Amino acid sequence: MDDARARDEGCTTGDGAAGVDGPAGNSGQGLPDGLLVRHPVPADHRRLQGALADWWGGLGGDAGALQRQLLVPRLFLQHFAGTSFLVERPDHTLHAFLIGFLSQTDPRTAYIHFVGVCPDGKRAGVGSFLYRRFFAAARAAGRTRIRCITSPNNRDSIAYHTRMGFRLEPGDRTDEHGVPVHRDYDGPGLDRVSFVRDLPGGQGAIPPVAAP
């Protein structure tokens, strides 16, 4: 998503070879065969930066790549690793990732910040697996809602989140597609679409999954 920028796109070979750790690495239920999931560590930062530059097919050129890279600084791997996840292939090639955290301001909320799946991993259910793993972690921490945002022009992201049971929050204008938009949400000209998803229970209840 451009912010929970779930674009099932792009793949690069990782520079670092980090091992698969503990229960999270051994519980890839719902992943295609051969893929493993674990929490990130600071040493993964270089590989993530490479993915953010390469997985989006040159979107926005060098400036777009830099913008994406700046959105995932090392601090996420230092301070929010327990609610973030990497998916790797057996050779430790990075296949997908989700960066998320528990809100320190709102004890009800968990936030999905950035998601990416490599280009040849699209439509294999890896993105949905990561979302559900995050839902489980948030629920285990007592959180009752998930929030994320995306750009108004990211139609694929809007459709994806709608399918995942997220609701579009009212904005201060509506675009030509009827999507509510928050004007200047991230600064002048940086409009965003805001999503929220309740958990558990209610419409679109989340089925049980193994917690990390």
Side-chain angles (χ1 to χ4, degrees):
M1 300 163 284
D2 274 354
D3 284 316
R5 296 157 154 116
R7 294 174 58 91
D8 283 354
E9 298 186 13
C11 196
T12 186
T13 300
D15 295 317
V20 176
D21 62 354
N26 294 325
S27 60
Q29 182 179 3
L31 284 175
D33 288 346
L35 296 180
L36 298 169
V37 60
R38 65 172 175 86
H39 297 299
V41 296
D44 293 310
H45 186 247
R46 185 178 176 188
R47 292 198 299 160
L48 281 171
Q49 292 287 289
L52 291 162
D54 297 340
W55 286 10
W56 272 256
L59 180 67
D62 290 344
L66 178 59
Q67 182 185 48
R68 289 188 295 274
Q69 290 173 321
L70 290 174
L71 284 165
V72 187
R74 187 179 297 269
L75 70 87
F76 281 103
L77 311 186
Q78 295 170 318
H79 302 292
F80 302 106
T83 49
S84 299
F85 303 94
L86 300 183
V87 174
E88 293 181 314
R89 299 171 183 174
D91 64 357
H92 301 297
T93 301
L94 183 62
H95 189 85
F97 65 90
L98 181 150
I99 305 296
F101 56 88
L102 304 177
S103 173
Q104 300 298 299
T105 303
D106 183 351
R108 302 167 297 177
T109 297
Y111 188 86
I112 299 175
H113 175 63
F114 214 120
V115 183
V117 179
C118 69
D120 56 0
K122 294 193 296 183
R123 306 191 187 283
V126 177
S128 296
F129 168 85
L130 285 171
Y131 271 67
R132 293 186 181 278
R133 177 56 67 91
F134 183 79
F135 294 162
R139 185 164 47 199
R143 304 304 166 113
T144 58
R145 68 180 52 159
I146 307 292
R147 291 188 181 276
C148 57
I149 61 174
T150 194
S151 299
N153 61 357
N154 195 337
R155 311 307 306 173
D156 290 343
S157 178
I158 293 169
Y160 181 87
H161 286 88
T162 301
R163 291 196 302 271
M164 289 291 291
F166 285 86
R167 303 189 308 275
L168 292 161
E169 296 193 277
D172 50 22
R173 72 175 179 88
T174 302
D175 71 9
E176 65 274 19
H177 302 284
V179 173
V181 174
H182 297 256
R183 194 190 315 269
D184 298 334
Y185 183 96
D186 273 335
L190 299 176
D191 299 349
R192 297 290 182 258
V193 175
S194 180
F195 301 98
V196 62
R197 192 196 201 287
D198 296 324
L199 68 115
Q203 185 175 3
I206 301 165
V209 296

